[in-house]
Amino acid sequence: MRNELRNILWFGLLLGNLTLAILFGWHQARSAPTAAATAEIIEQGRQVYADQCASCHGAQLEGQPDWKTPLPSGRLPAPPHDAGGHTWHHADEILFRIIKEGTAAIVGNGYESDMPGFADFLSDAEIRAVLAYIKSTWPKRERTYQENVSQPR
């Protein structure tokens, strides 16, 4: 009876260790692609930005010259998306909606902007990828600020 009990305990210990090993392996397998996906998403966003955004906002996210001074049309030039601009002051939800719906639709009250909505051209995933790319270029201080303003209130 004593040997039988010892065998049951050993079996239970072995089964427990095997379960932990499987769970650890599963966790590692699930975590590794997440990091790779982040790099892939940022790269996808870089490409979409180059194709759809850089012509106005600049290849280096620098925006148009004198972006705070209205053009003769009364509209503002395209702002930079680097740390020198104001993009990082806005929450994710607002940035997403500006890209999807256009600035005028978000600001409202007859505001006019040359920034169109891209709902017909970009998927939600592509918009999120562009935002991931832009945010990946910001220094830590700007990223932290933007993460904080993006938290649900």
Side-chain angles (χ1 to χ4, degrees), residues 44-59:
Q44 177 193 16
R46 186 195 65 73
Q47 187 59 55
V48 172
Y49 179 90
D51 294 345
Q52 300 292 329
C53 312
S55 62
C56 293
H57 292 280

Side-chain angles (χ1 to χ4, degrees), residues 38-119:
T38 300
E40 290 172 16
I41 289 169
I42 290 170
E43 177 53 30
Q44 177 193 16
R46 186 195 65 73
Q47 187 59 55
V48 172
Y49 179 90
D51 294 345
Q52 300 292 329
C53 312
S55 62
C56 293
H57 292 280
Q60 303 301 313
L61 298 102
E62 71 274 13
Q64 293 176 337
D66 300 320
W67 62 276
K68 293 181 181 179
T69 304
L71 299 167
S73 66
R75 297 175 179 183
L76 291 171
H81 291 309
D82 61 11
H86 64 82
T87 306
W88 57 272
H89 294 198
H90 301 293
D92 287 338
E93 179 185 342
I94 296 297
L95 296 175
F96 180 88
R97 289 184 58 214
I98 288 171
I99 296 171
K100 187 166 184 149
E101 301 169 35
T103 303
I106 303 309
V107 175
N109 295 325
Y111 182 82
E112 293 185 11
S113 172
D114 291 330
M115 171 67 184
F118 284 83

Side-chain angles (χ1 to χ4, degrees), residues 15 26 29 34 51 53 78 88 115 117-118 140-141 144-145:
L15 187 60
W26 175 79
T34 302
D51 294 345
C53 312
W88 57 272
M115 171 67 184
F118 284 83
K140 183 174 175 41
R141 181 181 74 107
T144 300
Y145 179 91

